[in-house]
Amino acid sequence: MRRALSGIMVVTLAMGQAGCAALEGLRTLVQAPQFSEAEGQPAEIRLLGPGQGAGPLGGAAIRIWARVRNPNPFGLTLSTLQGTLFLEDSRAADADFPLGLPLTAGGDSVIPLDLRVSFADIPGLANAIRRAVTGDPLPYRLNGTVGVNAGQLGTPTFGPMNLLTGEIRTR
């Protein structure tokens, strides 16, 4: 009887480990969501004076419209986006968005990403501030990581990677 129970336990454990290995293999099948600028919805920057929630020297409110596409043949939820916004290659702001955005298989969605930049915290942005004040386009890039909830396939995180690049115009 003991031998039979031991044999059953060994087979059960082996099947469990094989199932875990298969699940790990399936997780590698999940592809990262793809980000691009949303057509017809340009990124914009709005200058903020002191006392408008951007610190003692003022700052900027930045809105970037992103199209997020799910390249997978199954639905998933974009759960997090963490990253750094660069204006003219100078670090400007950190981004940390808990999203919870459902994406259908092969589907896409347009979302706004709102960031605040305090001029007091970013001495390297003098040229970017001048460009924003004069209305010149301001190049940006958003680098970061994204996390998804793919149901039975797990909750993988992708990155760090370049998520978005483009130009921002003063509003």
Side-chain angles (χ1 to χ4, degrees):
M1 179 74 163
R2 265 191 181 169
R3 269 193 147 148
L5 282 175
S6 294
I8 290 172
M9 287 180 63
V10 167
V11 169
T12 302
L13 284 172
M15 287 175 60
Q17 287 177 341
C20 288
L23 184 58
E24 283 299 316
L26 288 176
R27 284 185 184 155
T28 62
L29 297 177
V30 179
Q31 296 178 52
Q34 299 167 344
F35 289 78
S36 62
E37 283 188 298
E39 276 187 44
Q41 294 182 289
E44 52 191 45
I45 184 170
R46 188 169 38 94
L47 299 177
L48 303 173
Q52 292 182 322
L57 297 179
I62 297 172
R63 173 169 279 179
I64 298 170
W65 290 93
R67 178 171 302 283
V68 184
R69 189 177 91 70
N70 177 7
N72 296 290
F74 50 84
L76 53 76
T77 300
L78 177 61
S79 53
T80 61
L81 184 154
Q82 296 176 323
T84 303
L85 177 69
F86 293 87
L87 298 176
E88 288 196 330
D89 292 325
S90 292
R91 186 176 180 278
D94 290 325
D96 189 0
F97 300 100
L99 296 173
L101 176 67
L103 294 168
T104 59
D108 63 15
S109 187
V110 174
I111 60 170
L113 300 174
D114 292 316
L115 300 117
R116 292 218 177 224
V117 176
S118 171
F119 295 147
D121 297 335
I122 302 146
L125 286 175
N127 191 40
I129 294 166
R130 277 191 295 279
R131 289 182 70 139
V133 168
T134 61
D136 290 339
L138 184 60
Y140 76 86
R141 108 175 160 268
L142 180 63
N143 293 350
T145 59
V146 293
V148 300
N149 182 341
Q152 295 291 331
L153 299 178
T155 55
T157 301
F158 302 95
M161 60 186 164
N162 185 17
L163 298 171
L164 283 169
T165 59
E167 290 184 339
I168 300 173
R169 296 205 177 261
T170 305
R171 186 176 83 171

